[in-house]
Amino acid sequence: VDKVQTAIEESEVSEEGEETLKTYTEALVSELQLSFDYFENQFGRPPEDIFVSGGLSHSEVLLKTLSEHLAQQVSAWSPQEGLENQFTVAYGLALRRPL
């Protein structure tokens, strides 16, 4: 796991690894689009931005593939930067804006 994380962070993923990641990302895009369609149906507009966190947020392949397939701007985000771990969920919820 540590080797994989290091490879992702240092963009040392093989071509085969990149293709696999692209394939799974495209499947993720399909699921995201269903969620976005539901959100738009409920609130009258689609989400404006996408923030990706976790280990794969360091992968340029993931961010690029998401950006190519979705209309929203995709950005890496580290919710715990400067926060204690127990506050990250509360912080994420606090970022939601009222409609």
Side-chain angles (χ1 to χ4, degrees), residues 35-72:
S35 295
F36 295 165
D37 291 345
Y38 175 80
F39 183 91
E40 186 171 7
N41 186 35
Q42 295 297 311
F43 299 105
R45 61 184 173 84
E48 296 172 7
D49 300 303
I50 299 171
F51 296 96
V52 181
S53 63
L56 284 176
S57 67
H58 300 283
S59 169
E60 290 299 320
V61 173
L62 174 76
L63 297 175
K64 182 179 177 189
T65 304
L66 286 174
S67 294
E68 289 172 352
H69 289 85
L70 299 170
Q72 294 82 357

mmCIF file of all heavy atoms in Angstrom, residues 35-72:
data_model
loop_
_atom_site.group_PDB
_atom_site.id
_atom_site.type_symbol
_atom_site.label_atom_id
_atom_site.label_comp_id
_atom_site.label_asym_id
_atom_site.label_seq_id
_atom_site.Cartn_x
_atom_site.Cartn_y
_atom_site.Cartn_z
ATOM 1 N N SER A 35 -25.770 10.769 -9.610
ATOM 2 C CA SER A 35 -25.938 11.564 -8.388
ATOM 3 C C SER A 35 -26.147 13.037 -8.707
ATOM 4 O O SER A 35 -26.972 13.713 -8.094
ATOM 5 C CB SER A 35 -24.727 11.405 -7.470
ATOM 6 O OG SER A 35 -24.633 10.082 -7.017
ATOM 7 N N PHE A 36 -25.407 13.540 -9.692
ATOM 8 C CA PHE A 36 -25.552 14.940 -10.078
ATOM 9 C C PHE A 36 -26.924 15.205 -10.688
ATOM 10 O O PHE A 36 -27.526 16.251 -10.460
ATOM 11 C CB PHE A 36 -24.460 15.360 -11.055
ATOM 12 C CG PHE A 36 -23.069 15.328 -10.473
ATOM 13 C CD1 PHE A 36 -21.967 15.377 -11.301
ATOM 14 C CD2 PHE A 36 -22.849 15.246 -9.112
ATOM 15 C CE1 PHE A 36 -20.681 15.351 -10.789
ATOM 16 C CE2 PHE A 36 -21.573 15.211 -8.582
ATOM 17 C CZ PHE A 36 -20.489 15.269 -9.429
ATOM 18 N N ASP A 37 -27.417 14.255 -11.476
ATOM 19 C CA ASP A 37 -28.756 14.387 -12.058
ATOM 20 C C ASP A 37 -29.813 14.445 -10.955
ATOM 21 O O ASP A 37 -30.743 15.248 -11.014
ATOM 22 C CB ASP A 37 -29.054 13.236 -13.016
ATOM 23 C CG ASP A 37 -28.220 13.288 -14.276
ATOM 24 O OD1 ASP A 37 -27.614 14.341 -14.577
ATOM 25 O OD2 ASP A 37 -28.155 12.248 -14.969
ATOM 26 N N TYR A 38 -29.666 13.605 -9.939
ATOM 27 C CA TYR A 38 -30.585 13.629 -8.806
ATOM 28 C C TYR A 38 -30.505 14.977 -8.086
ATOM 29 O O TYR A 38 -31.528 15.585 -7.769
ATOM 30 C CB TYR A 38 -30.269 12.492 -7.831
ATOM 31 C CG TYR A 38 -31.103 12.549 -6.580
ATOM 32 C CD1 TYR A 38 -32.410 12.075 -6.586
ATOM 33 C CD2 TYR A 38 -30.590 13.088 -5.409
ATOM 34 C CE1 TYR A 38 -33.192 12.138 -5.435
ATOM 35 C CE2 TYR A 38 -31.360 13.160 -4.262
ATOM 36 C CZ TYR A 38 -32.659 12.685 -4.281
ATOM 37 O OH TYR A 38 -33.425 12.766 -3.146
ATOM 38 N N PHE A 39 -29.290 15.442 -7.830
ATOM 39 C CA PHE A 39 -29.091 16.728 -7.155
ATOM 40 C C PHE A 39 -29.765 17.848 -7.947
ATOM 41 O O PHE A 39 -30.479 18.686 -7.388
ATOM 42 C CB PHE A 39 -27.590 17.006 -7.005
ATOM 43 C CG PHE A 39 -27.280 18.276 -6.259
ATOM 44 C CD1 PHE A 39 -27.097 18.254 -4.884
ATOM 45 C CD2 PHE A 39 -27.165 19.484 -6.925
ATOM 46 C CE1 PHE A 39 -26.795 19.426 -4.191
ATOM 47 C CE2 PHE A 39 -26.867 20.657 -6.243
ATOM 48 C CZ PHE A 39 -26.687 20.630 -4.866
ATOM 49 N N GLU A 40 -29.546 17.859 -9.257
ATOM 50 C CA GLU A 40 -30.127 18.905 -10.105
ATOM 51 C C GLU A 40 -31.653 18.812 -10.098
ATOM 52 O O GLU A 40 -32.343 19.840 -10.069
ATOM 53 C CB GLU A 40 -29.601 18.779 -11.526
ATOM 54 C CG GLU A 40 -30.053 19.910 -12.426
ATOM 55 C CD GLU A 40 -29.366 19.912 -13.774
ATOM 56 O OE1 GLU A 40 -28.628 18.959 -14.085
ATOM 57 O OE2 GLU A 40 -29.587 20.873 -14.525
ATOM 58 N N ASN A 41 -32.197 17.619 -10.092
ATOM 59 C CA ASN A 41 -33.644 17.435 -10.037
ATOM 60 C C ASN A 41 -34.216 17.970 -8.727
ATOM 61 O O ASN A 41 -35.302 18.556 -8.706
ATOM 62 C CB ASN A 41 -33.984 15.945 -10.199
ATOM 63 C CG ASN A 41 -35.467 15.717 -10.304
ATOM 64 O OD1 ASN A 41 -36.203 16.515 -10.861
ATOM 65 N ND2 ASN A 41 -35.907 14.595 -9.761
ATOM 66 N N GLN A 42 -33.479 17.810 -7.634
ATOM 67 C CA GLN A 42 -33.942 18.253 -6.321
ATOM 68 C C GLN A 42 -33.757 19.754 -6.097
ATOM 69 O O GLN A 42 -34.593 20.393 -5.465
ATOM 70 C CB GLN A 42 -33.209 17.491 -5.212
ATOM 71 C CG GLN A 42 -33.507 16.013 -5.190
ATOM 72 C CD GLN A 42 -34.962 15.721 -4.899
ATOM 73 O OE1 GLN A 42 -35.539 16.257 -3.949
ATOM 74 N NE2 GLN A 42 -35.573 14.890 -5.724
ATOM 75 N N PHE A 43 -32.660 20.313 -6.604
ATOM 76 C CA PHE A 43 -32.308 21.691 -6.277
ATOM 77 C C PHE A 43 -32.316 22.642 -7.465
ATOM 78 O O PHE A 43 -32.007 23.827 -7.332
ATOM 79 C CB PHE A 43 -30.939 21.732 -5.591
ATOM 80 C CG PHE A 43 -30.922 20.960 -4.307
ATOM 81 C CD1 PHE A 43 -30.307 19.721 -4.241
ATOM 82 C CD2 PHE A 43 -31.536 21.449 -3.167
ATOM 83 C CE1 PHE A 43 -30.294 18.987 -3.064
ATOM 84 C CE2 PHE A 43 -31.532 20.726 -1.985
ATOM 85 C CZ PHE A 43 -30.916 19.490 -1.926
ATOM 86 N N GLY A 44 -32.610 22.138 -8.657
ATOM 87 C CA GLY A 44 -32.745 23.006 -9.819
ATOM 88 C C GLY A 44 -31.447 23.408 -10.496
ATOM 89 O O GLY A 44 -31.465 24.189 -11.439
ATOM 90 N N ARG A 45 -30.342 22.926 -10.004
ATOM 91 C CA ARG A 45 -29.050 23.222 -10.633
ATOM 92 C C ARG A 45 -28.065 22.115 -10.271
ATOM 93 O O ARG A 45 -28.190 21.490 -9.225
ATOM 94 C CB ARG A 45 -28.503 24.567 -10.189
ATOM 95 C CG ARG A 45 -28.255 24.674 -8.708
ATOM 96 C CD ARG A 45 -27.804 26.083 -8.320
ATOM 97 N NE ARG A 45 -27.726 26.220 -6.885
ATOM 98 C CZ ARG A 45 -26.693 25.865 -6.149
ATOM 99 N NH1 ARG A 45 -25.623 25.362 -6.711
ATOM 100 N NH2 ARG A 45 -26.691 26.017 -4.842
ATOM 101 N N PRO A 46 -27.091 21.867 -11.140
ATOM 102 C CA PRO A 46 -26.099 20.825 -10.834
ATOM 103 C C PRO A 46 -25.059 21.346 -9.844
ATOM 104 O O PRO A 46 -24.934 22.558 -9.635
ATOM 105 C CB PRO A 46 -25.454 20.547 -12.197
ATOM 106 C CG PRO A 46 -25.591 21.835 -12.929
ATOM 107 C CD PRO A 46 -26.885 22.446 -12.460
ATOM 108 N N PRO A 47 -24.306 20.453 -9.226
ATOM 109 C CA PRO A 47 -23.205 20.907 -8.366
ATOM 110 C C PRO A 47 -22.229 21.743 -9.191
ATOM 111 O O PRO A 47 -22.044 21.501 -10.384
ATOM 112 C CB PRO A 47 -22.538 19.609 -7.901
ATOM 113 C CG PRO A 47 -23.519 18.537 -8.172
ATOM 114 C CD PRO A 47 -24.386 19.002 -9.284
ATOM 115 N N GLU A 48 -21.620 22.733 -8.550
ATOM 116 C CA GLU A 48 -20.727 23.634 -9.274
ATOM 117 C C GLU A 48 -19.292 23.122 -9.329
ATOM 118 O O GLU A 48 -18.605 23.304 -10.326
ATOM 119 C CB GLU A 48 -20.754 25.015 -8.624
ATOM 120 C CG GLU A 48 -22.116 25.665 -8.717
ATOM 121 C CD GLU A 48 -22.200 26.948 -7.913
ATOM 122 O OE1 GLU A 48 -21.165 27.414 -7.388
ATOM 123 O OE2 GLU A 48 -23.312 27.482 -7.816
ATOM 124 N N ASP A 49 -18.821 22.531 -8.252
ATOM 125 C CA ASP A 49 -17.427 22.104 -8.150
ATOM 126 C C ASP A 49 -17.357 20.708 -7.555
ATOM 127 O O ASP A 49 -18.259 20.284 -6.838
ATOM 128 C CB ASP A 49 -16.623 23.046 -7.240
ATOM 129 C CG ASP A 49 -16.615 24.469 -7.741
ATOM 130 O OD1 ASP A 49 -16.193 24.675 -8.885
ATOM 131 O OD2 ASP A 49 -17.044 25.371 -6.993
ATOM 132 N N ILE A 50 -16.254 20.030 -7.836
ATOM 133 C CA ILE A 50 -15.996 18.723 -7.255
ATOM 134 C C ILE A 50 -14.651 18.796 -6.548
ATOM 135 O O ILE A 50 -13.654 19.206 -7.146
ATOM 136 C CB ILE A 50 -15.949 17.629 -8.330
ATOM 137 C CG1 ILE A 50 -17.286 17.549 -9.049
ATOM 138 C CG2 ILE A 50 -15.566 16.287 -7.727
ATOM 139 C CD1 ILE A 50 -17.263 16.658 -10.247
ATOM 140 N N PHE A 51 -14.639 18.398 -5.283
ATOM 141 C CA PHE A 51 -13.414 18.362 -4.505
ATOM 142 C C PHE A 51 -13.090 16.906 -4.201
ATOM 143 O O PHE A 51 -13.906 16.188 -3.636
ATOM 144 C CB PHE A 51 -13.562 19.155 -3.206
ATOM 145 C CG PHE A 51 -13.783 20.618 -3.448
ATOM 146 C CD1 PHE A 51 -15.057 21.147 -3.465
ATOM 147 C CD2 PHE A 51 -12.712 21.452 -3.687
ATOM 148 C CE1 PHE A 51 -15.269 22.492 -3.695
ATOM 149 C CE2 PHE A 51 -12.901 22.790 -3.933
ATOM 150 C CZ PHE A 51 -14.184 23.320 -3.934
ATOM 151 N N VAL A 52 -11.905 16.460 -4.581
ATOM 152 C CA VAL A 52 -11.468 15.089 -4.397
ATOM 153 C C VAL A 52 -10.464 15.057 -3.256
ATOM 154 O O VAL A 52 -9.514 15.832 -3.243
ATOM 155 C CB VAL A 52 -10.820 14.541 -5.696
ATOM 156 C CG1 VAL A 52 -10.390 13.099 -5.514
ATOM 157 C CG2 VAL A 52 -11.772 14.686 -6.872
ATOM 158 N N SER A 53 -10.694 14.148 -2.300
ATOM 159 C CA SER A 53 -9.750 14.022 -1.192
ATOM 160 C C SER A 53 -9.327 12.568 -1.059
ATOM 161 O O SER A 53 -9.858 11.690 -1.725
ATOM 162 C CB SER A 53 -10.380 14.527 0.118
ATOM 163 O OG SER A 53 -11.483 13.734 0.471
ATOM 164 N N GLY A 54 -8.364 12.326 -0.220
ATOM 165 C CA GLY A 54 -7.860 10.972 -0.029
ATOM 166 C C GLY A 54 -6.624 10.735 -0.877
ATOM 167 O O GLY A 54 -6.144 11.618 -1.586
ATOM 168 N N GLY A 55 -6.131 9.516 -0.812
ATOM 169 C CA GLY A 55 -4.876 9.171 -1.487
ATOM 170 C C GLY A 55 -4.898 9.399 -2.981
ATOM 171 O O GLY A 55 -3.923 9.872 -3.561
ATOM 172 N N LEU A 56 -6.004 9.065 -3.636
ATOM 173 C CA LEU A 56 -6.057 9.227 -5.089
ATOM 174 C C LEU A 56 -6.193 10.682 -5.538
ATOM 175 O O LEU A 56 -6.053 10.970 -6.714
ATOM 176 C CB LEU A 56 -7.190 8.386 -5.680
ATOM 177 C CG LEU A 56 -6.894 6.900 -5.774
ATOM 178 C CD1 LEU A 56 -8.112 6.141 -6.276
ATOM 179 C CD2 LEU A 56 -5.705 6.630 -6.676
ATOM 180 N N SER A 57 -6.450 11.587 -4.617
ATOM 181 C CA SER A 57 -6.518 12.997 -5.007
ATOM 182 C C SER A 57 -5.150 13.510 -5.462
ATOM 183 O O SER A 57 -5.057 14.569 -6.076
ATOM 184 C CB SER A 57 -7.045 13.860 -3.860
ATOM 185 O OG SER A 57 -6.117 13.892 -2.784
ATOM 186 N N HIS A 58 -4.096 12.736 -5.193
ATOM 187 C CA HIS A 58 -2.747 13.092 -5.637
ATOM 188 C C HIS A 58 -2.468 12.603 -7.054
ATOM 189 O O HIS A 58 -1.416 12.890 -7.610
ATOM 190 C CB HIS A 58 -1.693 12.512 -4.693
ATOM 191 C CG HIS A 58 -1.816 12.991 -3.291
ATOM 192 N ND1 HIS A 58 -1.400 14.242 -2.896
ATOM 193 C CD2 HIS A 58 -2.341 12.409 -2.197
ATOM 194 C CE1 HIS A 58 -1.644 14.401 -1.621
ATOM 195 N NE2 HIS A 58 -2.218 13.298 -1.168
ATOM 196 N N SER A 59 -3.397 11.854 -7.619
ATOM 197 C CA SER A 59 -3.200 11.280 -8.946
ATOM 198 C C SER A 59 -3.666 12.244 -10.037
ATOM 199 O O SER A 59 -4.846 12.555 -10.145
ATOM 200 C CB SER A 59 -3.978 9.968 -9.070
ATOM 201 O OG SER A 59 -3.997 9.543 -10.405
ATOM 202 N N GLU A 60 -2.719 12.685 -10.838
ATOM 203 C CA GLU A 60 -3.059 13.558 -11.965
ATOM 204 C C GLU A 60 -3.955 12.826 -12.962
ATOM 205 O O GLU A 60 -4.802 13.430 -13.594
ATOM 206 C CB GLU A 60 -1.791 14.063 -12.651
ATOM 207 C CG GLU A 60 -1.005 15.059 -11.828
ATOM 208 C CD GLU A 60 -1.798 16.323 -11.504
ATOM 209 O OE1 GLU A 60 -2.536 16.825 -12.382
ATOM 210 O OE2 GLU A 60 -1.692 16.790 -10.356
ATOM 211 N N VAL A 61 -3.764 11.508 -13.098
ATOM 212 C CA VAL A 61 -4.581 10.715 -14.012
ATOM 213 C C VAL A 61 -6.047 10.780 -13.586
ATOM 214 O O VAL A 61 -6.943 11.016 -14.404
ATOM 215 C CB VAL A 61 -4.099 9.245 -14.072
ATOM 216 C CG1 VAL A 61 -5.044 8.392 -14.897
ATOM 217 C CG2 VAL A 61 -2.697 9.166 -14.614
ATOM 218 N N LEU A 62 -6.312 10.587 -12.307
ATOM 219 C CA LEU A 62 -7.685 10.639 -11.798
ATOM 220 C C LEU A 62 -8.287 12.017 -12.016
ATOM 221 O O LEU A 62 -9.386 12.150 -12.568
ATOM 222 C CB LEU A 62 -7.732 10.279 -10.312
ATOM 223 C CG LEU A 62 -9.113 10.442 -9.679
ATOM 224 C CD1 LEU A 62 -10.026 9.306 -10.094
ATOM 225 C CD2 LEU A 62 -9.010 10.525 -8.177
ATOM 226 N N LEU A 63 -7.581 13.051 -11.599
ATOM 227 C CA LEU A 63 -8.114 14.413 -11.715
ATOM 228 C C LEU A 63 -8.346 14.791 -13.175
ATOM 229 O O LEU A 63 -9.372 15.387 -13.518
ATOM 230 C CB LEU A 63 -7.175 15.409 -11.038
ATOM 231 C CG LEU A 63 -6.993 15.218 -9.527
ATOM 232 C CD1 LEU A 63 -5.956 16.192 -8.994
ATOM 233 C CD2 LEU A 63 -8.299 15.355 -8.784
ATOM 234 N N LYS A 64 -7.419 14.424 -14.049
ATOM 235 C CA LYS A 64 -7.550 14.747 -15.470
ATOM 236 C C LYS A 64 -8.730 14.000 -16.088
ATOM 237 O O LYS A 64 -9.519 14.589 -16.831
ATOM 238 C CB LYS A 64 -6.258 14.391 -16.210
ATOM 239 C CG LYS A 64 -6.293 14.738 -17.672
ATOM 240 C CD LYS A 64 -4.985 14.384 -18.359
ATOM 241 C CE LYS A 64 -5.094 14.673 -19.845
ATOM 242 N NZ LYS A 64 -3.974 14.181 -20.601
ATOM 243 N N THR A 65 -8.879 12.713 -15.765
ATOM 244 C CA THR A 65 -9.970 11.931 -16.326
ATOM 245 C C THR A 65 -11.316 12.457 -15.846
ATOM 246 O O THR A 65 -12.255 12.587 -16.634
ATOM 247 C CB THR A 65 -9.814 10.438 -15.966
ATOM 248 O OG1 THR A 65 -8.534 9.990 -16.412
ATOM 249 C CG2 THR A 65 -10.889 9.597 -16.626
ATOM 250 N N LEU A 66 -11.416 12.796 -14.576
ATOM 251 C CA LEU A 66 -12.665 13.382 -14.072
ATOM 252 C C LEU A 66 -12.964 14.699 -14.781
ATOM 253 O O LEU A 66 -14.096 14.949 -15.193
ATOM 254 C CB LEU A 66 -12.584 13.600 -12.561
ATOM 255 C CG LEU A 66 -12.672 12.365 -11.678
ATOM 256 C CD1 LEU A 66 -12.427 12.742 -10.224
ATOM 257 C CD2 LEU A 66 -14.013 11.681 -11.827
ATOM 258 N N SER A 67 -11.949 15.538 -14.934
ATOM 259 C CA SER A 67 -12.128 16.839 -15.593
ATOM 260 C C SER A 67 -12.582 16.687 -17.042
ATOM 261 O O SER A 67 -13.374 17.485 -17.531
ATOM 262 C CB SER A 67 -10.833 17.646 -15.555
ATOM 263 O OG SER A 67 -10.501 17.982 -14.238
ATOM 264 N N GLU A 68 -12.069 15.662 -17.727
ATOM 265 C CA GLU A 68 -12.422 15.448 -19.128
ATOM 266 C C GLU A 68 -13.867 14.997 -19.303
ATOM 267 O O GLU A 68 -14.472 15.248 -20.338
ATOM 268 C CB GLU A 68 -11.493 14.408 -19.754
ATOM 269 C CG GLU A 68 -10.083 14.899 -19.958
ATOM 270 C CD GLU A 68 -9.122 13.797 -20.391
ATOM 271 O OE1 GLU A 68 -9.515 12.603 -20.387
ATOM 272 O OE2 GLU A 68 -7.978 14.133 -20.731
ATOM 273 N N HIS A 69 -14.423 14.325 -18.294
ATOM 274 C CA HIS A 69 -15.750 13.738 -18.428
ATOM 275 C C HIS A 69 -16.863 14.506 -17.712
ATOM 276 O O HIS A 69 -18.041 14.224 -17.928
ATOM 277 C CB HIS A 69 -15.740 12.294 -17.925
ATOM 278 C CG HIS A 69 -14.998 11.370 -18.823
ATOM 279 N ND1 HIS A 69 -13.628 11.203 -18.747
ATOM 280 C CD2 HIS A 69 -15.416 10.575 -19.823
ATOM 281 C CE1 HIS A 69 -13.261 10.337 -19.661
ATOM 282 N NE2 HIS A 69 -14.315 9.940 -20.326
ATOM 283 N N LEU A 70 -16.514 15.429 -16.852
ATOM 284 C CA LEU A 70 -17.522 16.161 -16.095
ATOM 285 C C LEU A 70 -17.460 17.645 -16.411
ATOM 286 O O LEU A 70 -16.398 18.185 -16.703
ATOM 287 C CB LEU A 70 -17.313 15.942 -14.588
ATOM 288 C CG LEU A 70 -17.434 14.498 -14.102
ATOM 289 C CD1 LEU A 70 -16.975 14.391 -12.661
ATOM 290 C CD2 LEU A 70 -18.868 14.006 -14.247
ATOM 291 N N ALA A 71 -18.597 18.305 -16.335
ATOM 292 C CA ALA A 71 -18.660 19.739 -16.629
ATOM 293 C C ALA A 71 -18.125 20.579 -15.466
ATOM 294 O O ALA A 71 -17.677 21.699 -15.669
ATOM 295 C CB ALA A 71 -20.106 20.137 -16.938
ATOM 296 N N GLN A 72 -18.154 20.036 -14.262
ATOM 297 C CA GLN A 72 -17.720 20.775 -13.085
ATOM 298 C C GLN A 72 -16.197 20.832 -13.000
ATOM 299 O O GLN A 72 -15.507 19.967 -13.514
ATOM 300 C CB GLN A 72 -18.256 20.109 -11.801
ATOM 301 C CG GLN A 72 -19.741 20.144 -11.651
ATOM 302 C CD GLN A 72 -20.450 19.033 -12.431
ATOM 303 O OE1 GLN A 72 -19.839 18.251 -13.136
ATOM 304 N NE2 GLN A 72 -21.772 18.987 -12.309
#
